[in-house]
Amino acid sequence: MSSKILIIGACGQIGTELTTKLRDLHGVNNVIASDINTRNLDLVNSGPFEIIDAKNYNAIHDCCLQNNVKTIYLMAALLSATGEKYPMEAWDLNMNSLFHVLNLAKEKVIDKIFWPSSIAVFGPTTPKINTPQYTICEPTTVYGITKQVGERWCEYYNKKYDVDVRSIRYPGIISHKAMPGGGTTDYAVEIYHEAIKSGTYECFLSEETELPMMFMQDAIKATTELMQTSSENIKVRSAYNLAAISFTPKQVFESIKKYIPDFTISYKPDFRQVIANSWPSSIDDNIARKEWDWQHDFDLDKMTREMIDNLQKLVCKVDLG
């Protein structure tokens, strides 16, 4: 039996598109998607799918043994805004799921792990401009705490047990294919949907809040390239800084207006503003660019064109039935 890839949390914002890309690269039958629900019917019906709770070690273990899974992408997590509402649930899911896959690699059941970290590991004491790879990390959210601790455990398992675990500190991710799942950067997806749907948007962050962002195609590209890189080139076993573009709600609004001139915006910052204020405005990812040749493809205007073109096609498709 050929070795397989398992994606845990495949129905999430990143997991959905990652599954498609990995199936293109490795073959549909070699990539098993899994989640706790089957609501994403397009994904469920597009290839092998298992219902797996990321907190259930036995379910993950059995799936790996039965299908000869040798690589796991652990994409399940409770994100920043949702994590503040349910802190213990966030800790339970985010930490225990990581321990499960790290221990499977320690026990030689699997060979390789991808686990996403986040810019949420940074905090108000972190340098905000061109945040370096190695810097102060004092996160102020439950999500950020779980990611910071997770980074330390990844590095520990690599050094102590030679576990091949790889990670990226994702910035805010923007996609037209899947809605976000409770993060502080969600506005940057919602704003495009509302521009098409209603022509107006009420933003939950202030107009000058600058945050690191990335178009989904760049995030998927970075993830697959990191996993395809030779192990000896991976020097950072906590998580790599990753960057593409940084912008404010005002700047993305102005980019959208180039294509939808009547679009309007208002601002009503909520609890997520405090979270955003604790995060960097730009990231230095030179180490990733040097060690595994990372390069992003999308700037703000190129991303806006892609988002609007695809969302308008989706609206037309819905209208036509």
Side-chain angles (χ1 to χ4, degrees), residues 95-218:
M95 296 311 305
N96 285 324
S97 61
L98 176 58
F99 276 124
H100 292 339
V101 297
L102 287 173
N103 284 325
L104 285 172
K106 174 188 172 184
E107 296 157 9
K108 309 302 181 186
V109 174
I110 61 173
D111 298 331
K112 189 186 293 187
I113 297 165
F114 177 81
W115 172 80
S117 188
S118 165
I119 60 168
V121 299
F122 303 124
T125 56
T126 302
K128 293 185 74 69
I129 308 297
N130 291 326
T131 302
Q133 175 69 50
Y134 301 104
T135 188
I136 299 167
C137 292
E138 294 182 328
T140 56
T141 64
V142 176
Y143 178 64
I145 291 168
T146 64
K147 291 301 183 182
Q148 183 196 31
V149 174
E151 287 188 11
R152 304 271 48 84
W153 279 114
C154 287
E155 187 171 72
Y156 179 86
Y157 268 72
N158 173 258
K159 292 184 181 301
K160 185 82 172 179
Y161 307 115
D162 197 31
V163 167
D164 188 356
V165 57
R166 307 174 184 202
S167 183
I168 286 168
R169 290 170 178 158
Y170 283 131
I173 306 296
I174 301 162
S175 168
H176 55 82
K177 291 186 179 179
M179 291 300 289
T184 300
T185 56
D186 285 2
Y187 89 85
V189 178
E190 294 173 359
I191 192 171
Y192 288 102
H193 284 265
E194 289 303 316
I196 302 296
K197 179 181 175 183
S198 65
T200 188
Y201 179 62
E202 182 179 88
C203 184
F204 57 75
L205 298 182
S206 68
E207 65 177 359
E208 299 299 335
T209 304
E210 185 178 20
L211 291 170
M213 297 285 186
M214 179 174 289
F215 191 49
M216 180 65 83
Q217 283 181 228
D218 276 334

Side-chain angles (χ1 to χ4, degrees), residues 234-276:
I234 308 297
K235 310 299 183 186
V236 177
R237 292 294 183 163
S238 51
Y240 279 98
N241 272 8
L242 195 74
I245 48 179
S246 289
F247 55 76
T248 66
K250 182 179 180 181
Q251 287 171 327
V252 69
F253 164 68
E254 290 170 347
S255 181
I256 292 171
K257 277 183 71 71
K258 295 175 184 177
Y259 305 93
I260 306 176
D262 295 332
F263 181 49
T264 62
I265 192 170
S266 59
Y267 301 92
K268 189 177 180 180
D270 64 15
F271 73 99
R272 288 167 284 194
Q273 183 67 55
V274 176
I275 298 173

Side-chain angles (χ1 to χ4, degrees), residues 22 25 52 82 107 224-226 309:
L22 290 175
L25 290 171
I52 295 178
T82 308
E107 296 157 9
T224 55
E225 286 183 353
L226 175 63
D309 286 349

Side-chain angles (χ1 to χ4, degrees), residues 66-85:
Q66 291 166 9
N67 297 283
N68 196 33
V69 169
K70 293 301 178 183
T71 300
I72 289 180
Y73 290 75
L74 176 56
M75 310 307 294
L78 224 57
L79 302 182
S80 57
T82 308
E84 292 306 286
K85 297 177 182 177

Side-chain angles (χ1 to χ4, degrees), residues 2-7 18-34 42-49 67:
S2 61
S3 63
K4 302 293 196 300
I5 294 168
L6 173 64
I7 306 170
L18 179 62
T19 300
T20 300
K21 180 63 175 180
L22 290 175
R23 285 176 171 167
D24 288 343
L25 290 171
H26 302 284
V28 171
N29 291 328
N30 292 320
V31 179
I32 302 168
S34 73
D42 288 340
L43 185 140
V44 169
N45 295 326
S46 66
F49 183 87
N67 297 283

